[in-house]
């Protein structure tokens, strides 16, 4: 009877459905892809936010995002070996793949050095 009044408490390992999430993305060559981050332990994780205001608070107004259901986000990142999903994190330590390197300031008197467009991901 107590379960009928209060419901069954979720166990720590249970997956709770989050519904619609604002998912930070980055633009690939043909489409946008979810941004992956690292946990403090170094594991890759997907991130979703309960609303656009929460996403802007953590990642800034310039961060592009899309709306995805929680099962759709899991289906997108699972083939990449990502099983962790963080919802409404307070802060994020950084992207899983380093951001592209920006060109250093170079005086206009000489040729500009070659700068790779992207930094290769670290080998595991």
């Amino acid at each position: 009877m107590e379960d009928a009044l209060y419901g069954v408490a979720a166990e720590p390992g249970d997956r709770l459905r989050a519904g619609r999430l604002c998912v930070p993305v980055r633009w690939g060559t043909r489409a946008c892809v979810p941004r992956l981050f690292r946990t403090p332990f170094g594991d890759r994780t997907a991130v979703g936010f309960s609303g656009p205001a929460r996403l802007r608070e953590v990642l800034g107004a310039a961060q592009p995002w899309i709306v995805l259901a929680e099962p759709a986000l899991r289906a997108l990142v699972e083939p990449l070996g990502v099983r962790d999903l963080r919802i409404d994190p307070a802060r994020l330590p950084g992207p899983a793949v380093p951001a592209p390197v920006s060109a250093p300031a170079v005086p206009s008197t000489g040729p500009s050095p070659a700068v790779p467009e992207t930094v290769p991901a670290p080998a595991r």
Side-chain angles (χ1 to χ4, degrees):
M1 175 132 167
E2 208 171 293
D3 289 343
L5 293 175
Y6 300 107
V8 178
E11 294 295 322
D14 290 348
R15 284 188 179 176
L16 300 176
R17 297 290 179 195
R20 295 171 43 136
L21 296 172
C22 296
V23 178
V25 295
R26 62 179 176 80
W27 290 101
T29 55
R30 295 190 178 163
C32 62
V33 294
R35 278 187 66 188
L36 297 178
F37 295 86
R38 293 221 181 255
T39 66
F41 299 109
D43 299 325
R44 292 188 306 172
T45 183
V47 173
F49 293 90
S50 56
R54 182 77 178 120
L55 182 138
R56 284 190 296 269
E57 180 183 313
V58 175
L59 296 174
Q63 172 62 56
W65 56 275
I66 60 172
V67 175
L68 284 177
E70 182 257 344
L73 177 56
R74 285 191 186 275
L76 282 173
V77 299
E78 194 166 3
L80 303 172
V82 178
R83 303 221 183 327
D84 191 25
L85 171 61
R86 303 290 169 116
I87 299 172
D88 286 332
R91 60 184 177 86
L92 296 168
V97 178
V101 175
S102 60
V106 177
S108 61
T109 58
S112 61
V115 177
E117 288 188 19
T118 59
V119 175
R124 286 193 147 205

